[in-house]
Amino acid sequence: MSAGSAVSQRKKVGVLVSGRGSNLQALLDACADPTFPAEIALVISNVPGVLALERAQKAGVATAVIPHRDYPSREAFDAAMDLVLRAAGIDIVCLAGFMRLLSSEFVAGWQGAMLNIHPSLLPSFKGLHTHRQALEAGVKLHGCTIHLVTPDLDDGPILVQAAVPVQDDDDEDSLAARVLEQEHRAYPLALRLLAEGRVTVDGNRTLIRR
Ligand code: GAR
């Protein structure tokens, strides 16, 4: 196989962001390797001026700002994002700190092709403030999850999880930092598995071809 054909087979990824974009950066870094099976083709933010947009621009990736406040409904906002993603020929959507709920229509349109990262070992600690939730629950292991997106919040077949210990002197910040380090390793791995077509879904489970 020539280098050219390897590149042309890379899956085109659209990343949805709302803020800092450190997970976006991890994906950009992974995709900078021409042998990685995916490339970031577009970054969409629902919030103008965020650091994630700067990271994309620095990497030479196209960006779009679609402020959710400009749309009369969740469905109309999602439809605007969908249009831009389809026009860019996107194969896979990655949610990376995208802090909006998605409509069931949008989710259905990207079934099996949309990943989310969540900072807990799902199904524990869905929603916000996951590190606080973990400390309050007194768990000794915490972590992150990358899963296929289904209409329910922080739900869907899991591709990759990474666990970290909770230490006695942890506060939310120290625990978040330990989890984030693992997020940056786990998300590129999950994207690789999906982009290489190694994932099949069986009910709640994914089966990964090794
Ligand atoms: C990450 O910790 C991500 O797991 C979390 O937001 C942070 C975004 O950071 N996502 C969620 O809580 C979604 N339910 P980043 O912008 O630096 O990637």
Side-chain angles (χ1 to χ4, degrees), residues 72-127:
S73 65
R74 188 178 304 286
E75 287 70 22
F77 166 66
D78 288 359
M81 285 198 301
D82 196 62
L83 209 63
V84 174
L85 289 164
R86 303 284 175 198
I90 296 301
D91 302 302
I92 294 173
V93 174
C94 288
L95 309 181
F98 182 70
M99 304 310 268
R100 298 284 306 163
L101 294 174
L102 292 166
S103 59
S104 49
E105 291 86 344
F106 184 87
V107 172
W110 292 96
Q111 191 184 355
M114 180 156 57
L115 295 175
N116 180 43
I117 186 161
H118 183 73
S120 77
L121 293 174
L122 290 172
S124 293
F125 315 136
K126 295 180 178 185

Side-chain angles (χ1 to χ4, degrees), residues 7 89 121 159 164:
V7 167
L121 293 174
L159 272 79
V164 301

Side-chain angles (χ1 to χ4, degrees), residues 5-27:
S5 65
V7 167
S8 67
Q9 288 167 7
R10 300 177 89 194
K11 293 282 190 248
K12 292 179 87 173
V13 176
V15 184
L16 308 189
V17 298
S18 300
R20 174 180 61 179
S22 71
N23 277 293
L24 166 66
Q25 190 65 58
L27 296 175

Side-chain angles (χ1 to χ4, degrees), residues 17-202:
V17 298
S18 300
R20 174 180 61 179
S22 71
N23 277 293
L24 166 66
Q25 190 65 58
L27 296 175
L28 287 167
D29 293 347
C31 293
D33 175 349
T35 67
F36 193 80
E39 60 181 327
I40 312 289
L42 177 64
V43 171
I44 299 178
S45 175
N46 64 313
V47 183
V50 292
L51 181 56
L53 289 166
E54 252 177 67
R55 294 180 192 269
Q57 282 151 9
K58 235 179 231 165
V61 170
T63 60
V65 176
I66 306 180
H68 58 276
R69 289 183 205 290
D70 289 0
Y71 294 85
S73 65
R74 188 178 304 286
E75 287 70 22
F77 166 66
D78 288 359
M81 285 198 301
D82 196 62
L83 209 63
V84 174
L85 289 164
R86 303 284 175 198
I90 296 301
D91 302 302
I92 294 173
V93 174
C94 288
L95 309 181
F98 182 70
M99 304 310 268
R100 298 284 306 163
L101 294 174
L102 292 166
S103 59
S104 49
E105 291 86 344
F106 184 87
V107 172
W110 292 96
Q111 191 184 355
M114 180 156 57
L115 295 175
N116 180 43
I117 186 161
H118 183 73
S120 77
L121 293 174
L122 290 172
S124 293
F125 315 136
K126 295 180 178 185
L128 297 175
H129 309 301
T130 56
H131 310 303
R132 190 186 309 166
Q133 291 188 58
L135 289 170
E136 282 173 3
V139 293
K140 297 295 184 191
L141 278 178
H142 184 40
C144 64
T145 302
I146 296 92
H147 63 95
L148 287 163
V149 177
T150 58
D152 293 328
L153 176 70
D154 299 329
D155 199 62
I158 292 170
L159 272 79
V160 176
Q161 291 186 302
V164 301
V166 179
Q167 290 167 0
D168 290 353
D169 58 353
D170 268 330
D171 58 16
E172 275 185 61
D173 289 345
S174 62
L175 189 53
R178 193 172 311 118
V179 171
L180 192 64
E181 218 179 293
Q182 294 307 312
E183 292 186 40
H184 298 162
R185 296 161 52 110
Y187 212 168
L189 172 60
L191 177 56
R192 171 185 287 280
L193 295 174
L194 189 64
E196 288 179 346
R198 288 160 61 188
V199 180
T200 50
V201 176
D202 179 15

